[in-house]
Amino acid sequence: MADVIVVIGPGQIGQAIARRVGVGKHVLLADMRLENANAAAEVLGNAGYEVSVATVDASSRDAVRALVDMAIGLGEVTGLIHAAGVSPTQASPATILKVDLYGTALVLEEFGSVIARGGAGVVIASQSGHRLPPLAVEQNKALATTPVEDLLNLPFLQPDRVTDSLQAYQLSKRGNALRVMAEAVRWAKRGARINTISPGIIMTPLAKDELKGPRGAGYRRMIEVSAAGRTGTPDEGATVAALLMGPDGGFITGSDFLMDGGVTAAYWYGDLAPQ
């Protein structure tokens, strides 16, 4: 049977990672919109990759289970790339928590039950999770281990506590890293690994939305004062993912990799530090 790599959210970053880890494997591209999956499939298919497409709402258990069933029907699931999500400019706090926090936990749970021995996964989180002040130990544990269907009922995630989209996004992305750490224990029982990548401003359509949105000036300032002095590229993210998903990363699991050109360093200890 074929080795299957599942890509949820086959945008620029998802495609770049698939190019690095999908050679000789069957790449299943899943998106909320079929036209997005088809567009990615055309690009990868024309480059010689074996691809299939599916639609999925990552915040629906039935939809994620249907994707799991499709994936295991194609072969052994040896890789998961979860790159789907919404940004603060694109959605309300409630939607962000449902898609980025609950949806990620759901995907990790469902695919963690079928991932093949020797398999690996990456979740694309965000530098934003690293700019959230420290949470209480109890809150960290709750984000990491609360049963998926109870996750959005946590008291500190309620509308009166999470009042804007950026706060919801930061909590979600911090939650992604914590959830991956906890899931790494469960994935290990199947002989598999899972890690998180927290990119900075990677030039994608989503990043362009942010640069044009109400927080655009702040984004441009982040780029200007960062150590790198530029945005990142999807291929740079794919280089990190290829390490994490490949044999050279065999000792790495349950980890979160911040790759933001030094923006977070500038936020805490440099020119971006809150006054």
Side-chain angles (χ1 to χ4, degrees):
M1 296 181 72
D3 286 350
V4 178
I5 303 290
V6 179
V7 185
I8 301 176
Q12 295 298 314
I13 294 175
Q15 288 183 49
I17 299 172
R19 283 178 175 271
R20 294 293 298 271
V21 303
V23 176
K25 300 177 181 179
H26 194 117
V27 181
L28 175 56
L29 304 165
D31 194 273
M32 176 79 85
R33 297 179 177 85
L34 184 59
E35 59 267 29
N36 292 344
N38 283 334
E42 182 175 8
V43 172
L44 291 174
N46 286 340
Y49 292 82
E50 183 180 5
V51 296
S52 295
V53 298
T55 56
V56 66
D57 175 357
S59 64
S60 163
R61 186 174 292 275
D62 287 344
V64 173
R65 281 181 174 166
L67 182 64
V68 169
D69 289 342
M70 181 176 179
I72 61 178
L74 294 169
E76 282 198 317
V77 179
T78 59
L80 171 69
I81 302 162
H82 184 49
V86 291
S87 75
T89 297
Q90 294 174 321
S92 67
T95 299
I96 289 170
L97 289 172
K98 183 175 182 182
V99 174
D100 291 359
L101 180 65
Y102 169 82
T104 298
L106 176 59
V107 166
L108 289 170
E109 179 176 85
E110 290 290 344
F111 277 94
S113 297
V114 301
I115 191 74
R117 177 164 294 277
V122 292
V123 171
I124 304 302
S126 170
Q127 64 176 354
S128 272
H130 290 262
R131 290 204 296 277
L132 188 71
L135 299 174
V137 172
E138 295 78 9
Q139 291 174 316
N140 284 341
K141 185 174 182 180
L143 288 172
T145 63
T146 297
V148 176
E149 297 306 324
D150 296 330
L151 194 52
L152 296 181
N153 295 325
L154 289 172
F156 62 92
L157 298 181
Q158 298 314 298
D160 62 326
R161 302 284 297 276
V162 182
T163 57
D164 68 77
S165 293
L166 180 58
Q167 182 188 12
Y169 190 72
Q170 290 177 333
L171 280 165
S172 296
K173 296 307 179 179
R174 175 72 62 81
N176 291 165
L178 292 165
R179 200 81 190 183
V180 159
M181 186 178 291
E183 280 287 334
V185 177
R186 191 170 70 94
W187 283 46
K189 294 175 182 177
R190 297 185 61 86
R193 299 179 296 107
I194 181 70
N195 292 289
T196 314
I197 300 174
S198 290
I201 303 174
I202 305 295
M203 193 45 63
T204 65
L206 186 149
K208 289 183 177 180
D209 282 348
E210 291 295 331
L211 286 167
K212 294 175 183 176
R215 300 180 182 86
Y219 269 63
R220 290 187 288 274
R221 174 70 174 155
M222 282 191 278
I223 295 167
E224 290 167 3
V225 305
S226 69
R230 62 174 176 83
T231 60
T233 68
D235 290 300
E236 288 175 304
T239 297
V240 176
L243 167 65
L244 296 177
M245 296 182 72
D248 288 344
F251 197 58
I252 307 171
T253 191
S255 297
D256 177 44
F257 283 75
L258 175 65
M259 51 164 301
D260 67 350
V263 169
T264 300
Y267 178 83
W268 288 110
Y269 308 113
D271 291 342
L272 289 176
Q275 301 301 315

